[in-house]
């Protein structure tokens, strides 16, 4: 299979969907003239024109609010947040408008809107440009939240998100943009709401997504050398969570470790752990373990930043504990 | 208008310090010594220095992602600034903030901001505090042309106008918001026109002429201290460097940039004027320049040698009473 | 009020539409006071000339966004009184099957993109709808209704700037009824006219007497023409007044009695009635007929709402997502 970068994969998804459906357009800050700050929109304006690939004013509430309005008026907008951190300045549009409009209006409309949000720690970008905020939106009924870890899913999930009649938040880790991976040819779609077992194993289940998936896979190799056979699940969608895949895995392994880059407290891991404890307690042979960032804003200094990042070593140690 | 020679020396010292500081930071960043990303204030020195020359140490400013110049102009020290930019322990924020988050409350510098348009309402709040205490300070908010389109501009300026707060909004219209030219996202020639919608004075000034800036700033400060409310100042300038260091700048030509710089370098403008008028001699300027350069070299040497923060710093400063 | 460009038929139609709103809201207020309705309502009484004047100047394909004080906007754009009343009652036959209530009525088929419980939130939605029209090359335009209070929200600024920069086919219609809940506009702004803000976006800003339906109609028609010709947005400010409390039960202690009385003197329905009778003395019978018909319509709406069933419990989880995948809405 051909190998392309995560960034190129999202670009293919955009281009294919924009070609396929005239109603799809994209707007955000700095996407047209320089192709996006991570190069993830390169070439789109040349192909589709500045009407459908729009540089906006620095006006996040108007960007998302206008996305909602355009969706109500029959378009399928994709809006870009520059950095996921800036979703905080337009929370009304995300939480009160795009998430609720369909339900509040009794199902009279759909809300085919995709919000792209580059997130995560990269090169000491500090407290306001490094966050992983995905868990906030798992708490909001009406939103779907996807968070790919590799180019194939980046493409497949973005295409699926654009075709979805529901609003989708698409979190893409900034450090993943240049990473390469195989992507199938043709109209490749990844179903929203479906996790992937990326490495089958017997001894414990490690659930992750986005950047820390890669740390989990590294850890699995180390663990294999120590005789611990980890099953690795890439969640891919965190709302709705594919709980069946998780239970099927636990039925085999009986041990659960959940890993994410986001702050551990109140994170996606907490939701999964709670559900497993409520609904599938009998499947467990050991307490559930979670790894996430400590409860601090992301510090700037590389000396401190490295302390909030999850490493493969952290995962190995936690797995060893669980399998003792 | 006549100015004291010491005052003129002070102005030159501050402007040259900013210029040399920024050039040095750019060089160090490209040399891989500085983490994160940095935005330089080269070519805009006259605005921060001119405005701050009309303020006292007690007055407040809020700054932007392009904030080194504001810090220096308000009287922050070069040493802890450079250390912060390096992510080192003696930095203003103990290495936790970095270039975009420098603050020095001892000189009324309420912080740079990684969120575009994040400073308006902090300045409004500081002005409100001054009004409620009747303590006489004014609060200045520096913001970019791009930032003028954030909703926070509107909310902050309206509230300050309605309540006649001692606030001054200083727009640095450098014609660019990252990759986006001013006129593609604004339908007006002058941002100062927006003042009409709030019933406050809106003044356009040549931002490359420190003397012109000082005069409009003095008038605005006087108005604010008399309880007559805010002023919106638009200082026209041009962003000479890339949006951040390392910006490929594909959205504009080198010639265009050079044309602006040659025609309108605020530091050259200053030198021509003071020498032409016989206020200062070239030798005075050279001496100041050398002194500033020495100070910066010292700051760099100190920052290089300074230790990184200890691991235990990770959890410190989150709350007044520590958490584990 | 200059009735000249309008024929008697037009004027009577305007009157009927305004009366529908007046009687709908007075009836809703009465039922609310009797405890027969859940939630809360914000009435439009006193402001009818704005919504009707604006919607009469629009074409059927045009779109609007409304506010928490939205009954008038919906009725003026062609909303059904019975379906609306049923929604206010939380009944299954309501516009939103009982899920929205007074502050969340929408009828996408009529181009009503929704009332909104969040002050100012409809403004960027209208800009987005206009953007859709521009990209599609459609003829339709969008009009955003919003209050004086909403004009101080950041979204106002972001949306007006964006619409001006992109010359979107949209009209921003501020209904300045002088109060945001209990706070008078003079205490929270520093200018006499919100329309002055148009200067900051390089677009026309027009003040109009919001209690003069014909003036509103003309101003909106001019702005609509501009928008359809691709000349971009207009900021209109209609000066008006709400007669009743911000919400039902609001004692309005923050309003001087003389101010209320003076504005009631300028009641938009009375004014239009006078204009009609001055120009067409023989229209008295027609006016009486309209009153009877509207009263009947509202009475029928109440009966419809009262007779309608509440939504089935199972619908509490439906409509969250387009394809109601049960697992996807698992709790
Ligand atoms: C709320 C928010 N949106 C977007 C950004 C990304 N961003 C950082 S700087 C910048 C451009 C700012 O332009 P301007 O205000 O003109 O300031 P300048 O860089 O020219 O000094 C953008 C879009 C941000 N930091 N915060
Ligand atoms: C964002 C937000 N802030 C506050 C409120 C509470 N609130 C509801 S209506 C209202 C006043 C709105 O005033 P205005 O826009 O003038 O409209 P009017 O009620 O006069 O029609 C307020 C403060 C809200 N719903 N949303
Ligand atoms: Mg700028």
């Amino acid at each position: 299979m051909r190998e392309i970068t995560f960034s190129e994969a999202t670009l293919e998804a955009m281009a294919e969907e924009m070609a396929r459906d005239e109603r799809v357009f994209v707007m955000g800050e700095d996407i047209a003239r320089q192709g996006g700050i991570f190069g993830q929109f390169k070439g789109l304006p040349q192909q589709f024109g500045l009407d459908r690939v729009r540089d906006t004013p620095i006006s996040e509430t108007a960007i998302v609010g206008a996305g909602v309005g355009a969706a109500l008026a029959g378009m399928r907008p994709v809006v870009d947040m520059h950095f996921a951190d800036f979703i905080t300045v337009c929370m009304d549009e995300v939480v009160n408008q795009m998430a609720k409009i369909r339900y509040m209006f009794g199902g009279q409309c759909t809300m085919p809107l995709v919000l792209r949000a580059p997130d995560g720690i990269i090169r000491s970008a500090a407290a306001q440009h490094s966050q992983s905020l995905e868990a906030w939106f798992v708490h909001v009924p009406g939103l779907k939240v996807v968070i790919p870890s590799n180019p194939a899913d980046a493409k497949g999930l973005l295409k699926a998100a654009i075709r979805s009649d529901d609003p989708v938040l698409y979190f893409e880790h900034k450090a993943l943009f240049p990473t390469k991976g195989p992507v199938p040819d043709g109209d490749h779609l990844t179903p929203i709401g479906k996790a992937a077992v990326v490495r089958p194993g017997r001894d414990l289940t490690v659930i992750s997504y986005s950047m820390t998936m890669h740390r989990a896979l590294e850890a699995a190799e180390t663990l294999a050398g120590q005789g611990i056979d980890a099953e690795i699940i890439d969640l891919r969608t965190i709302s709705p969570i594919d709980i069946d895949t998780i239970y099927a895995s636990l039925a085999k392994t009986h041990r659960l470790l959940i890993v994410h880059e986001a702050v551990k407290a109140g994170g996606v891991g907490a939701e999964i752990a709670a559900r497993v404890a409520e609904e599938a307690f009998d499947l467990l042979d050991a307490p559930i373990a979670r790894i996430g960032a400590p409860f601090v804003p992301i510090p700037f200094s590389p000396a401190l930043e490295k302390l909030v990042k999850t490493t493969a070593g952290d995962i190995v140690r936690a797995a060893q504990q669980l399998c003792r | 208008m006549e100015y004291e020679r010491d005052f003129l020396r002070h102005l030159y010292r501050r402007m040259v310090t900013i210029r040399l500081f920024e050039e040095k930071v750019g060089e160090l960043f490209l040399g891989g010594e500085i983490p994160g990303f940095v935005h330089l204030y080269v070519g805009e020195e006259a605005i921060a220095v001119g405005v701050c020359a009309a303020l006292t140490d007690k007055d407040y400013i809020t700054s932007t992602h392009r904030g080194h110049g504001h810090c220096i102009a308000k009287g922050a020290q070069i040493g802890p600034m450079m250390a912060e930019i390096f992510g080192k322990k003696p930095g203003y924020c103990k290495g936790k903030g970095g270039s975009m988050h420098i603050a020095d409350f001892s000189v009324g510098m309420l912080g740079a901001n990684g969120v575009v348009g994040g400073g308006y309402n902090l300045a409004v709040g500081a002005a409100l505090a001054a009004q409620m205490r009747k303590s006489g300070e004014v609060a200045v908010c520096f913001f970019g042309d791009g930032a003028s389109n954030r909703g926070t501009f509107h909310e902050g300026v309206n509230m300050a106008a309605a309540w006649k707060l001692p606030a001054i909004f200083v727009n640095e219209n450098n014609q660019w918001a990252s990759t986006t030219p001013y006129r593609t996202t604004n339908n007006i020639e002058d941002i100062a026109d927006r003042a009409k919608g709030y019933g406050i004075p809106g003044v356009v000034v040549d931002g490359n002429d420190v003397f012109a800036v000082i005069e409009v700033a003095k008038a605005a400060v006087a108005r604010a201290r008399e309880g007559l409310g805010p002023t919106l100042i638009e200082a026209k300038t041009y962003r000479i460097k890339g949006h951040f260091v390392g910006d490929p700048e594909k959205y504009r030509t080198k010639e265009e940039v050079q044309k602006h710089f040659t025609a309108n370098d605020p530091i050259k403008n200053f030198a021509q004027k003071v020498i032409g008028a016989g206020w200062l001699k070239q030798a005075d300027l050279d001496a100041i320049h050398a002194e500033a350069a020495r100070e910066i070299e010292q700051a760099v040497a100190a920052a290089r040698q300074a230790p990184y923060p200890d691991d235990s710093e990770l959890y410190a400063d989150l709350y007044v009473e520590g958490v584990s | 009020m200059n009735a000249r460009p309008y024929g008697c038929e037009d004027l009577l139609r305007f009157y009927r539409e305004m009366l529908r709103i007046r009687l709908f809201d007075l009836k809703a207020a009465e039922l609310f006071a009797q405890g027969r309705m859940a939630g809360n309502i914000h009435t439009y009484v006193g402001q009818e000339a704005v919504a009707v004047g604006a919607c009469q100047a629009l074409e059927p394909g045009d779109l609007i966004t409304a506010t928490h004080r939205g009954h008038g906007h919906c009725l003026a754009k062609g909303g059904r009184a019975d379906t609306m009343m049923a929604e206010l009652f939380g009944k299954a036959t309501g516009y939103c099957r009982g899920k929205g209530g007074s502050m969340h009525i929408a009828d996408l088929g009529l181009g009503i993109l929704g009332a909104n419980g969040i002050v100012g939130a409809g403004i960027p939605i209208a800009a987005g709808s206009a953007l859709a029209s521009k990209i599609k090359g459609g003829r339709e335009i969008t009009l955003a209704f919003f209050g004086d209070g909403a004009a101080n929200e950041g979204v106002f600024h972001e949306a007006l700037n964006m619409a001006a920069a992109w010359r979107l086919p949209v009209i921003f219609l501020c209904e300045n009824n002088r109060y945001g809940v209990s706070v008078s506009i003079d205490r929270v702004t520093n200018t006499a006219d919100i329309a002055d803000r148009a200067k900051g976006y390089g677009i026309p800003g027009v003040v109009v007497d919001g209690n003069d339906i014909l003036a509103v109609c003309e101003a909106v028609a001019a702005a609509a023409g501009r928008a359809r010709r691709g000349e971009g947005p207009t900021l209109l400010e209609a000066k008006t007044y709400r007669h009743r409390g911000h919400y039902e039960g609001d004692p309005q202690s923050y309003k001087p009695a003389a101010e209320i009385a003076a504005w009631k003197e300028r009641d938009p329905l009375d004014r239009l009635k006078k204009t009609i009778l001055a120009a067409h003395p023989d229209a008295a019978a027609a006016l009486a007929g309209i009153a009877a018909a509207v009263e009947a319509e509202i009475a029928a709406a109440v009966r419809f709402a009262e007779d309608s069933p509440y939504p089935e419990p199972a619908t509490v989880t439906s409509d969250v997502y387009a394809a109601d995948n049960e697992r996807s809405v698992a709790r």
Side-chain angles (χ1 to χ4, degrees), chain A residues 50-91:
Chain A
L50 289 175
D51 228 27
R52 289 175 71 199
V53 185
R54 307 180 83 91
D55 272 343
T56 62
I58 304 178
S59 302
E60 284 78 7
T61 68
I63 296 168
V64 181
V68 170
L72 286 175
M75 304 294 281
R76 305 183 76 86
V78 177
V79 295
D80 178 62
M81 275 293 97
H82 222 71
F83 284 74
D85 308 71
F86 309 147
I87 300 182
T88 56
V89 307
C90 50
M91 282 299 266

Side-chain angles (χ1 to χ4, degrees), chain A residues 92, chain C residues 42 47 67-69 103 116-120 146-151 153 175-181 242 246:
Chain A
D92 172 55
Chain C
H42 306 91
Q47 303 181 203
T67 70
H68 58 285
R69 197 174 303 292
M103 269 196 290
N116 214 307
I118 305 296
V119 168
F146 57 96
D148 47 289
E153 291 278 1
E175 301 186 74
N176 184 349
N177 64 7
R178 306 204 48 76
Y179 288 86
V181 191
R242 77 170 140 74
H246 172 66

Side-chain angles (χ1 to χ4, degrees), chain C residues 93-303:
Chain C
T93 52
Y95 265 116
C96 311
R97 304 192 222 173
K99 284 175 171 154
S102 162
M103 269 196 290
H104 305 292
I105 294 175
D107 184 337
L108 281 287
L110 292 172
I112 303 167
L113 301 183
N116 214 307
I118 305 296
V119 168
I123 308 174
I125 293 178
S129 158
L131 172 60
S133 303
K134 183 172 171 133
I135 294 177
K136 288 188 294 204
R139 169 181 171 77
E140 71 283 357
I141 64 167
T142 307
L143 182 145
F145 290 103
F146 57 96
D148 47 289
N152 292 335
E153 291 278 1
V155 284
F156 165 91
H157 176 62
E158 297 196 1
L160 266 78
N161 177 65
M162 185 187 265
W166 293 351
R167 292 193 192 280
L168 299 181
V170 57
I171 300 171
F172 299 106
L173 176 45
C174 178
E175 301 186 74
N176 184 349
N177 64 7
R178 306 204 48 76
Y179 288 86
V181 191
S182 63
V183 180
S184 91
I185 184 73
D186 309 323
R187 287 171 54 204
V188 290
T189 59
N190 193 35
T191 53
D193 298 326
I194 287 165
D196 280 353
R197 294 183 181 170
K199 295 181 186 132
Y201 311 104
I203 61 172
V206 181
V207 176
V208 61
D209 178 350
N211 285 15
D212 176 348
I213 180 162
L214 305 182
V216 173
C217 201
E218 270 163 40
V220 173
R226 252 179 70 75
R228 270 190 243 283
R229 288 192 302 272
E231 292 165 22
T234 302
L235 174 59
L236 295 181
E237 176 181 6
K239 306 272 193 190
T240 185
Y241 200 75
R242 77 170 140 74
H243 289 182
R244 303 180 67 87
H246 172 66
Y247 53 89
E248 283 309 300
D250 173 3
Q252 299 209 75
S253 49
Y254 47 85
K255 282 183 175 176
E259 181 185 278
I260 301 181
W263 277 94
K264 283 193 174 165
E265 283 296 303
R266 286 189 259 164
D267 183 283
L269 278 101
D270 291 349
R271 281 174 74 184
L272 179 59
K273 197 177 203 172
K274 275 195 203 117
T275 305
I276 294 173
L277 290 174
H280 310 282
D282 51 349
L287 285 169
I290 287 172
V294 172
E295 269 170 38
E297 182 191 1
I298 302 302
V302 174
R303 269 197 311 281

Side-chain angles (χ1 to χ4, degrees), chain B residues 148-151 153-155 158 161-164 185-188 193-194 196-200, chain C residues 151-154 156-158 161 164-165 167 187-191 196-197 199-203:
Chain B
S148 76
N149 296 329
R150 278 289 318 281
F153 165 87
H154 179 59
E155 297 189 4
N158 178 62
W163 293 353
K164 305 232 179 307
T185 52
N186 292 63
N187 193 36
I188 44 170
D193 278 352
R194 293 195 172 154
K196 295 178 187 140
Y198 308 102
I200 61 171
Chain C
N152 292 335
E153 291 278 1
F156 165 91
H157 176 62
E158 297 196 1
N161 177 65
R167 292 193 192 280
R187 287 171 54 204
V188 290
T189 59
N190 193 35
T191 53
D196 280 353
R197 294 183 181 170
K199 295 181 186 132
Y201 311 104
I203 61 172

Side-chain angles (χ1 to χ4, degrees), chain C residues 1 29 51 57 76 82 84 98 125 149 165 175 181-182 263 316 327 329:
Chain C
M1 223 182 264
D82 50 4
M84 277 180 59
I125 293 178
E175 301 186 74
V181 191
S182 63
W263 277 94
V316 71
R327 199 162 50 89
V329 293

